PDB file of all heavy atoms in Angstrom:
ATOM      1  N   PRO A   1       3.383  17.806 -32.315  1.00 91.00           N
ATOM      2  CA  PRO A   1       4.190  18.536 -33.334  1.00 91.00           C
ATOM      3  C   PRO A   1       4.797  19.813 -32.791  1.00 91.00           C
ATOM      4  O   PRO A   1       5.950  20.125 -33.156  1.00 91.00           O
ATOM      5  CB  PRO A   1       3.108  18.870 -34.412  1.00 91.00           C
ATOM      6  CG  PRO A   1       2.082  17.860 -34.268  1.00 91.00           C
ATOM      7  CD  PRO A   1       2.006  17.560 -32.765  1.00 91.00           C
ATOM      8  N   SER A   2       4.118  20.506 -31.888  1.00 91.00           N
ATOM      9  CA  SER A   2       4.739  21.725 -31.282  1.00 91.00           C
ATOM     10  C   SER A   2       5.932  21.321 -30.429  1.00 91.00           C
ATOM     11  O   SER A   2       6.973  22.065 -30.439  1.00 91.00           O
ATOM     12  CB  SER A   2       3.685  22.434 -30.477  1.00 91.00           C
ATOM     13  OG  SER A   2       2.581  22.831 -31.241  1.00 91.00           O
ATOM     14  N   LEU A   3       5.760  20.240 -29.653  1.00 87.00           N
ATOM     15  CA  LEU A   3       6.907  19.837 -28.812  1.00 87.00           C
ATOM     16  C   LEU A   3       8.059  19.336 -29.651  1.00 87.00           C
ATOM     17  O   LEU A   3       9.232  19.564 -29.310  1.00 87.00           O
ATOM     18  CB  LEU A   3       6.452  18.717 -27.866  1.00 87.00           C
ATOM     19  CG  LEU A   3       5.470  19.113 -26.812  1.00 87.00           C
ATOM     20  CD1 LEU A   3       5.042  17.900 -25.937  1.00 87.00           C
ATOM     21  CD2 LEU A   3       6.064  20.177 -25.852  1.00 87.00           C
ATOM     22  N   LEU A   4       7.749  18.706 -30.737  1.00 89.00           N
ATOM     23  CA  LEU A   4       8.792  18.209 -31.656  1.00 89.00           C
ATOM     24  C   LEU A   4       9.577  19.374 -32.247  1.00 89.00           C
ATOM     25  O   LEU A   4      10.769  19.273 -32.415  1.00 89.00           O
ATOM     26  CB  LEU A   4       8.162  17.390 -32.743  1.00 89.00           C
ATOM     27  CG  LEU A   4       9.110  16.524 -33.622  1.00 89.00           C
ATOM     28  CD1 LEU A   4       9.913  15.556 -32.780  1.00 89.00           C
ATOM     29  CD2 LEU A   4       8.302  15.749 -34.686  1.00 89.00           C
ATOM     30  N   HIS A   5       8.867  20.459 -32.565  1.00 90.00           N
ATOM     31  CA  HIS A   5       9.543  21.655 -33.115  1.00 90.00           C
ATOM     32  C   HIS A   5      10.350  22.344 -32.058  1.00 90.00           C
ATOM     33  O   HIS A   5      11.420  22.838 -32.319  1.00 90.00           O
ATOM     34  CB  HIS A   5       8.460  22.578 -33.731  1.00 90.00           C
ATOM     35  CG  HIS A   5       9.029  23.810 -34.343  1.00 90.00           C
ATOM     36  ND1 HIS A   5       9.798  23.771 -35.505  1.00 90.00           N
ATOM     37  CD2 HIS A   5       9.021  25.094 -33.949  1.00 90.00           C
ATOM     38  CE1 HIS A   5      10.184  24.999 -35.791  1.00 90.00           C
ATOM     39  NE2 HIS A   5       9.758  25.852 -34.857  1.00 90.00           N
ATOM     40  N   ALA A   6       9.823  22.436 -30.871  1.00 91.00           N
ATOM     41  CA  ALA A   6      10.498  23.150 -29.755  1.00 91.00           C
ATOM     42  C   ALA A   6      11.737  22.378 -29.251  1.00 91.00           C
ATOM     43  O   ALA A   6      12.733  23.010 -28.892  1.00 91.00           O
ATOM     44  CB  ALA A   6       9.544  23.421 -28.627  1.00 91.00           C
ATOM     45  N   TRP A   7      11.627  21.088 -29.120  1.00 89.00           N
ATOM     46  CA  TRP A   7      12.707  20.235 -28.602  1.00 89.00           C
ATOM     47  C   TRP A   7      13.092  19.185 -29.619  1.00 89.00           C
ATOM     48  O   TRP A   7      12.422  18.984 -30.612  1.00 89.00           O
ATOM     49  CB  TRP A   7      12.317  19.559 -27.278  1.00 89.00           C
ATOM     50  CG  TRP A   7      11.980  20.501 -26.197  1.00 89.00           C
ATOM     51  CD1 TRP A   7      12.716  21.652 -25.822  1.00 89.00           C
ATOM     52  CD2 TRP A   7      10.907  20.467 -25.273  1.00 89.00           C
ATOM     53  NE1 TRP A   7      12.131  22.256 -24.776  1.00 89.00           N
ATOM     54  CE2 TRP A   7      11.043  21.535 -24.396  1.00 89.00           C
ATOM     55  CE3 TRP A   7       9.827  19.558 -25.113  1.00 89.00           C
ATOM     56  CZ2 TRP A   7      10.104  21.812 -23.382  1.00 89.00           C
ATOM     57  CZ3 TRP A   7       8.949  19.828 -24.099  1.00 89.00           C
ATOM     58  CH2 TRP A   7       9.092  20.916 -23.254  1.00 89.00           C
ATOM     59  N   ASP A   8      14.130  18.433 -29.307  1.00 86.00           N
ATOM     60  CA  ASP A   8      14.546  17.376 -30.160  1.00 86.00           C
ATOM     61  C   ASP A   8      13.600  16.192 -30.036  1.00 86.00           C
ATOM     62  O   ASP A   8      12.865  16.047 -29.049  1.00 86.00           O
ATOM     63  CB  ASP A   8      15.936  16.935 -29.726  1.00 86.00           C
ATOM     64  CG  ASP A   8      16.621  16.001 -30.719  1.00 86.00           C
ATOM     65  OD1 ASP A   8      16.202  15.987 -31.895  1.00 86.00           O
ATOM     66  OD2 ASP A   8      17.452  15.221 -30.254  1.00 86.00           O
ATOM     67  N   ALA A   9      13.556  15.318 -30.991  1.00 89.00           N
ATOM     68  CA  ALA A   9      12.663  14.131 -30.996  1.00 89.00           C
ATOM     69  C   ALA A   9      13.002  13.253 -29.836  1.00 89.00           C
ATOM     70  O   ALA A   9      12.076  12.660 -29.214  1.00 89.00           O
ATOM     71  CB  ALA A   9      12.793  13.407 -32.324  1.00 89.00           C
ATOM     72  N   GLY A  10      14.248  13.094 -29.507  1.00 90.00           N
ATOM     73  CA  GLY A  10      14.659  12.191 -28.437  1.00 90.00           C
ATOM     74  C   GLY A  10      14.083  12.622 -27.102  1.00 90.00           C
ATOM     75  O   GLY A  10      13.610  11.799 -26.301  1.00 90.00           O
ATOM     76  N   ILE A  11      14.033  13.935 -26.812  1.00 89.00           N
ATOM     77  CA  ILE A  11      13.514  14.420 -25.545  1.00 89.00           C
ATOM     78  C   ILE A  11      11.966  14.170 -25.490  1.00 89.00           C
ATOM     79  O   ILE A  11      11.469  13.756 -24.450  1.00 89.00           O
ATOM     80  CB  ILE A  11      13.782  15.942 -25.364  1.00 89.00           C
ATOM     81  CG1 ILE A  11      15.307  16.128 -25.214  1.00 89.00           C
ATOM     82  CG2 ILE A  11      13.038  16.490 -24.197  1.00 89.00           C
ATOM     83  CD1 ILE A  11      15.743  17.586 -25.184  1.00 89.00           C
ATOM     84  N   ASN A  12      11.326  14.398 -26.601  1.00 89.00           N
ATOM     85  CA  ASN A  12       9.909  14.083 -26.664  1.00 89.00           C
ATOM     86  C   ASN A  12       9.572  12.640 -26.343  1.00 89.00           C
ATOM     87  O   ASN A  12       8.659  12.304 -25.613  1.00 89.00           O
ATOM     88  CB  ASN A  12       9.295  14.528 -27.981  1.00 89.00           C
ATOM     89  CG  ASN A  12       9.154  15.997 -28.069  1.00 89.00           C
ATOM     90  OD1 ASN A  12       8.492  16.607 -27.225  1.00 89.00           O
ATOM     91  ND2 ASN A  12       9.739  16.625 -29.067  1.00 89.00           N
ATOM     92  N   PHE A  13      10.281  11.752 -27.047  1.00 89.00           N
ATOM     93  CA  PHE A  13      10.031  10.353 -26.858  1.00 89.00           C
ATOM     94  C   PHE A  13      10.421   9.899 -25.434  1.00 89.00           C
ATOM     95  O   PHE A  13       9.771   9.017 -24.858  1.00 89.00           O
ATOM     96  CB  PHE A  13      10.747   9.519 -27.951  1.00 89.00           C
ATOM     97  CG  PHE A  13      10.008   9.615 -29.241  1.00 89.00           C
ATOM     98  CD1 PHE A  13      10.569  10.262 -30.266  1.00 89.00           C
ATOM     99  CD2 PHE A  13       8.774   9.010 -29.410  1.00 89.00           C
ATOM    100  CE1 PHE A  13       9.868  10.391 -31.510  1.00 89.00           C
ATOM    101  CE2 PHE A  13       8.128   9.082 -30.625  1.00 89.00           C
ATOM    102  CZ  PHE A  13       8.644   9.801 -31.690  1.00 89.00           C
ATOM    103  N   LEU A  14      11.451  10.470 -24.838  1.00 93.00           N
ATOM    104  CA  LEU A  14      11.769  10.193 -23.463  1.00 93.00           C
ATOM    105  C   LEU A  14      10.642  10.626 -22.536  1.00 93.00           C
ATOM    106  O   LEU A  14      10.296   9.890 -21.574  1.00 93.00           O
ATOM    107  CB  LEU A  14      13.063  10.837 -23.057  1.00 93.00           C
ATOM    108  CG  LEU A  14      14.351  10.106 -23.501  1.00 93.00           C
ATOM    109  CD1 LEU A  14      15.581  10.969 -23.142  1.00 93.00           C
ATOM    110  CD2 LEU A  14      14.454   8.731 -22.846  1.00 93.00           C
ATOM    111  N   PHE A  15      10.078  11.777 -22.792  1.00 89.00           N
ATOM    112  CA  PHE A  15       8.959  12.269 -21.980  1.00 89.00           C
ATOM    113  C   PHE A  15       7.781  11.302 -22.037  1.00 89.00           C
ATOM    114  O   PHE A  15       7.212  10.925 -21.009  1.00 89.00           O
ATOM    115  CB  PHE A  15       8.554  13.669 -22.453  1.00 89.00           C
ATOM    116  CG  PHE A  15       7.240  14.144 -21.825  1.00 89.00           C
ATOM    117  CD1 PHE A  15       7.209  14.553 -20.528  1.00 89.00           C
ATOM    118  CD2 PHE A  15       6.055  14.110 -22.575  1.00 89.00           C
ATOM    119  CE1 PHE A  15       5.996  14.938 -19.960  1.00 89.00           C
ATOM    120  CE2 PHE A  15       4.885  14.524 -22.014  1.00 89.00           C
ATOM    121  CZ  PHE A  15       4.846  14.936 -20.701  1.00 89.00           C
ATOM    122  N   PHE A  16       7.396  10.878 -23.298  1.00 88.00           N
ATOM    123  CA  PHE A  16       6.279   9.974 -23.415  1.00 88.00           C
ATOM    124  C   PHE A  16       6.615   8.578 -22.879  1.00 88.00           C
ATOM    125  O   PHE A  16       5.756   7.860 -22.334  1.00 88.00           O
ATOM    126  CB  PHE A  16       5.831   9.874 -24.834  1.00 88.00           C
ATOM    127  CG  PHE A  16       5.105  11.171 -25.249  1.00 88.00           C
ATOM    128  CD1 PHE A  16       5.632  12.034 -26.151  1.00 88.00           C
ATOM    129  CD2 PHE A  16       3.838  11.462 -24.702  1.00 88.00           C
ATOM    130  CE1 PHE A  16       4.961  13.226 -26.518  1.00 88.00           C
ATOM    131  CE2 PHE A  16       3.165  12.601 -25.039  1.00 88.00           C
ATOM    132  CZ  PHE A  16       3.700  13.518 -25.951  1.00 88.00           C
ATOM    133  N   ALA A  17       7.901   8.166 -22.989  1.00 94.00           N
ATOM    134  CA  ALA A  17       8.305   6.865 -22.361  1.00 94.00           C
ATOM    135  C   ALA A  17       8.202   6.960 -20.861  1.00 94.00           C
ATOM    136  O   ALA A  17       7.759   6.003 -20.185  1.00 94.00           O
ATOM    137  CB  ALA A  17       9.718   6.512 -22.764  1.00 94.00           C
ATOM    138  N   GLY A  18       8.529   8.147 -20.261  1.00 96.00           N
ATOM    139  CA  GLY A  18       8.423   8.338 -18.827  1.00 96.00           C
ATOM    140  C   GLY A  18       6.983   8.251 -18.358  1.00 96.00           C
ATOM    141  O   GLY A  18       6.626   7.672 -17.335  1.00 96.00           O
ATOM    142  N   THR A  19       6.079   8.834 -19.131  1.00 92.00           N
ATOM    143  CA  THR A  19       4.648   8.840 -18.745  1.00 92.00           C
ATOM    144  C   THR A  19       4.106   7.427 -18.888  1.00 92.00           C
ATOM    145  O   THR A  19       3.270   6.985 -18.055  1.00 92.00           O
ATOM    146  CB  THR A  19       3.797   9.831 -19.601  1.00 92.00           C
ATOM    147  OG1 THR A  19       3.970   9.507 -20.993  1.00 92.00           O
ATOM    148  CG2 THR A  19       4.215  11.270 -19.324  1.00 92.00           C
ATOM    149  N   THR A  20       4.611   6.664 -19.876  1.00 93.00           N
ATOM    150  CA  THR A  20       4.199   5.284 -20.041  1.00 93.00           C
ATOM    151  C   THR A  20       4.666   4.463 -18.828  1.00 93.00           C
ATOM    152  O   THR A  20       3.946   3.568 -18.317  1.00 93.00           O
ATOM    153  CB  THR A  20       4.714   4.724 -21.367  1.00 93.00           C
ATOM    154  OG1 THR A  20       4.217   5.476 -22.443  1.00 93.00           O
ATOM    155  CG2 THR A  20       4.314   3.262 -21.534  1.00 93.00           C
ATOM    156  N   LEU A  21       5.894   4.691 -18.419  1.00 97.00           N
ATOM    157  CA  LEU A  21       6.401   3.962 -17.226  1.00 97.00           C
ATOM    158  C   LEU A  21       5.606   4.294 -15.995  1.00 97.00           C
ATOM    159  O   LEU A  21       5.309   3.402 -15.200  1.00 97.00           O
ATOM    160  CB  LEU A  21       7.869   4.363 -16.992  1.00 97.00           C
ATOM    161  CG  LEU A  21       8.541   3.758 -15.785  1.00 97.00           C
ATOM    162  CD1 LEU A  21       8.650   2.237 -15.875  1.00 97.00           C
ATOM    163  CD2 LEU A  21       9.901   4.353 -15.529  1.00 97.00           C
ATOM    164  N   LEU A  22       5.218   5.570 -15.815  1.00 96.00           N
ATOM    165  CA  LEU A  22       4.385   5.895 -14.652  1.00 96.00           C
ATOM    166  C   LEU A  22       3.017   5.194 -14.735  1.00 96.00           C
ATOM    167  O   LEU A  22       2.496   4.704 -13.738  1.00 96.00           O
ATOM    168  CB  LEU A  22       4.197   7.411 -14.581  1.00 96.00           C
ATOM    169  CG  LEU A  22       5.391   8.242 -14.188  1.00 96.00           C
ATOM    170  CD1 LEU A  22       5.070   9.734 -14.338  1.00 96.00           C
ATOM    171  CD2 LEU A  22       5.889   7.871 -12.854  1.00 96.00           C
ATOM    172  N   ALA A  23       2.467   5.129 -15.880  1.00 92.00           N
ATOM    173  CA  ALA A  23       1.165   4.401 -16.095  1.00 92.00           C
ATOM    174  C   ALA A  23       1.340   2.891 -15.786  1.00 92.00           C
ATOM    175  O   ALA A  23       0.467   2.286 -15.112  1.00 92.00           O
ATOM    176  CB  ALA A  23       0.651   4.556 -17.522  1.00 92.00           C
ATOM    177  N   PHE A  24       2.482   2.318 -16.191  1.00 94.00           N
ATOM    178  CA  PHE A  24       2.714   0.910 -15.882  1.00 94.00           C
ATOM    179  C   PHE A  24       2.820   0.697 -14.372  1.00 94.00           C
ATOM    180  O   PHE A  24       2.243  -0.283 -13.863  1.00 94.00           O
ATOM    181  CB  PHE A  24       4.015   0.478 -16.578  1.00 94.00           C
ATOM    182  CG  PHE A  24       4.442  -0.907 -16.216  1.00 94.00           C
ATOM    183  CD1 PHE A  24       3.786  -2.025 -16.809  1.00 94.00           C
ATOM    184  CD2 PHE A  24       5.472  -1.128 -15.332  1.00 94.00           C
ATOM    185  CE1 PHE A  24       4.190  -3.314 -16.486  1.00 94.00           C
ATOM    186  CE2 PHE A  24       5.819  -2.420 -15.007  1.00 94.00           C
ATOM    187  CZ  PHE A  24       5.203  -3.523 -15.574  1.00 94.00           C
ATOM    188  N   LEU A  25       3.535   1.568 -13.683  1.00 94.00           N
ATOM    189  CA  LEU A  25       3.664   1.414 -12.228  1.00 94.00           C
ATOM    190  C   LEU A  25       2.327   1.590 -11.536  1.00 94.00           C
ATOM    191  O   LEU A  25       2.056   0.874 -10.570  1.00 94.00           O
ATOM    192  CB  LEU A  25       4.675   2.419 -11.720  1.00 94.00           C
ATOM    193  CG  LEU A  25       6.146   2.184 -12.147  1.00 94.00           C
ATOM    194  CD1 LEU A  25       7.026   3.405 -11.695  1.00 94.00           C
ATOM    195  CD2 LEU A  25       6.657   0.867 -11.641  1.00 94.00           C
ATOM    196  N   PHE A  26       1.506   2.480 -12.047  1.00 91.00           N
ATOM    197  CA  PHE A  26       0.167   2.697 -11.508  1.00 91.00           C
ATOM    198  C   PHE A  26      -0.660   1.428 -11.603  1.00 91.00           C
ATOM    199  O   PHE A  26      -1.264   0.940 -10.591  1.00 91.00           O
ATOM    200  CB  PHE A  26      -0.515   3.858 -12.171  1.00 91.00           C
ATOM    201  CG  PHE A  26      -1.962   3.989 -11.837  1.00 91.00           C
ATOM    202  CD1 PHE A  26      -2.369   4.613 -10.670  1.00 91.00           C
ATOM    203  CD2 PHE A  26      -2.956   3.482 -12.691  1.00 91.00           C
ATOM    204  CE1 PHE A  26      -3.722   4.729 -10.358  1.00 91.00           C
ATOM    205  CE2 PHE A  26      -4.292   3.618 -12.361  1.00 91.00           C
ATOM    206  CZ  PHE A  26      -4.671   4.208 -11.145  1.00 91.00           C
ATOM    207  N   VAL A  27      -0.624   0.819 -12.763  1.00 86.00           N
ATOM    208  CA  VAL A  27      -1.401  -0.435 -12.993  1.00 86.00           C
ATOM    209  C   VAL A  27      -0.832  -1.527 -12.089  1.00 86.00           C
ATOM    210  O   VAL A  27      -1.618  -2.284 -11.437  1.00 86.00           O
ATOM    211  CB  VAL A  27      -1.347  -0.821 -14.462  1.00 86.00           C
ATOM    212  CG1 VAL A  27      -1.893  -2.233 -14.676  1.00 86.00           C
ATOM    213  CG2 VAL A  27      -2.120   0.174 -15.334  1.00 86.00           C
ATOM    214  N   GLN A  28       0.450  -1.694 -12.023  1.00 88.00           N
ATOM    215  CA  GLN A  28       1.042  -2.764 -11.234  1.00 88.00           C
ATOM    216  C   GLN A  28       0.764  -2.644  -9.730  1.00 88.00           C
ATOM    217  O   GLN A  28       0.588  -3.656  -9.055  1.00 88.00           O
ATOM    218  CB  GLN A  28       2.541  -2.835 -11.458  1.00 88.00           C
ATOM    219  CG  GLN A  28       2.935  -3.412 -12.793  1.00 88.00           C
ATOM    220  CD  GLN A  28       2.501  -4.822 -12.927  1.00 88.00           C
ATOM    221  OE1 GLN A  28       2.689  -5.685 -12.034  1.00 88.00           O
ATOM    222  NE2 GLN A  28       1.914  -5.162 -14.067  1.00 88.00           N
ATOM    223  N   ARG A  29       0.756  -1.459  -9.218  1.00 86.00           N
ATOM    224  CA  ARG A  29       0.656  -1.246  -7.788  1.00 86.00           C
ATOM    225  C   ARG A  29      -0.725  -0.964  -7.226  1.00 86.00           C
ATOM    226  O   ARG A  29      -1.028  -1.246  -6.108  1.00 86.00           O
ATOM    227  CB  ARG A  29       1.620  -0.178  -7.332  1.00 86.00           C
ATOM    228  CG  ARG A  29       3.057  -0.547  -7.560  1.00 86.00           C
ATOM    229  CD  ARG A  29       4.021   0.526  -7.154  1.00 86.00           C
ATOM    230  NE  ARG A  29       5.375   0.202  -7.532  1.00 86.00           N
ATOM    231  CZ  ARG A  29       6.227  -0.404  -6.781  1.00 86.00           C
ATOM    232  NH1 ARG A  29       5.916  -0.745  -5.570  1.00 86.00           N
ATOM    233  NH2 ARG A  29       7.438  -0.644  -7.223  1.00 86.00           N
ATOM    234  N   LEU A  30      -1.591  -0.334  -8.074  1.00 81.00           N
ATOM    235  CA  LEU A  30      -2.859   0.134  -7.502  1.00 81.00           C
ATOM    236  C   LEU A  30      -4.129  -0.511  -8.063  1.00 81.00           C
ATOM    237  O   LEU A  30      -5.163  -0.410  -7.455  1.00 81.00           O
ATOM    238  CB  LEU A  30      -2.953   1.673  -7.727  1.00 81.00           C
ATOM    239  CG  LEU A  30      -1.853   2.476  -7.023  1.00 81.00           C
ATOM    240  CD1 LEU A  30      -2.029   3.947  -7.357  1.00 81.00           C
ATOM    241  CD2 LEU A  30      -1.912   2.280  -5.508  1.00 81.00           C
ATOM    242  N   LEU A  31      -4.050  -1.169  -9.188  1.00 76.00           N
ATOM    243  CA  LEU A  31      -5.244  -1.749  -9.716  1.00 76.00           C
ATOM    244  C   LEU A  31      -5.401  -3.215  -9.263  1.00 76.00           C
ATOM    245  O   LEU A  31      -4.426  -3.896  -9.170  1.00 76.00           O
ATOM    246  CB  LEU A  31      -5.246  -1.700 -11.284  1.00 76.00           C
ATOM    247  CG  LEU A  31      -5.305  -0.285 -11.872  1.00 76.00           C
ATOM    248  CD1 LEU A  31      -5.344  -0.399 -13.352  1.00 76.00           C
ATOM    249  CD2 LEU A  31      -6.510   0.497 -11.360  1.00 76.00           C
TER     250      LEU A  31
END
C-alpha cells in the first residue's frame, strides 16, 4: 500500500513481475 501510494500501480506491478521473473530463472537454472 505504501508503494502504491508513492508510485503508480503500473510501476509496482512491474517491480513484482520482475522479482517473479528472477525467481523463475533461479528455479530453472539452479534447482
Side-chain angles (χ1 to χ4, degrees):
S2 300
L3 293 176
L4 193 58
H5 181 70
W7 297 316
D8 190 25
I11 293 173
N12 282 305
F13 285 109
L14 280 175
F15 169 75
F16 287 111
T19 57
T20 301
L21 177 65
L22 291 175
F24 175 77
L25 293 173
F26 171 80
V27 168
Q28 286 296 314
R29 296 182 187 263
L30 298 177
L31 294 182

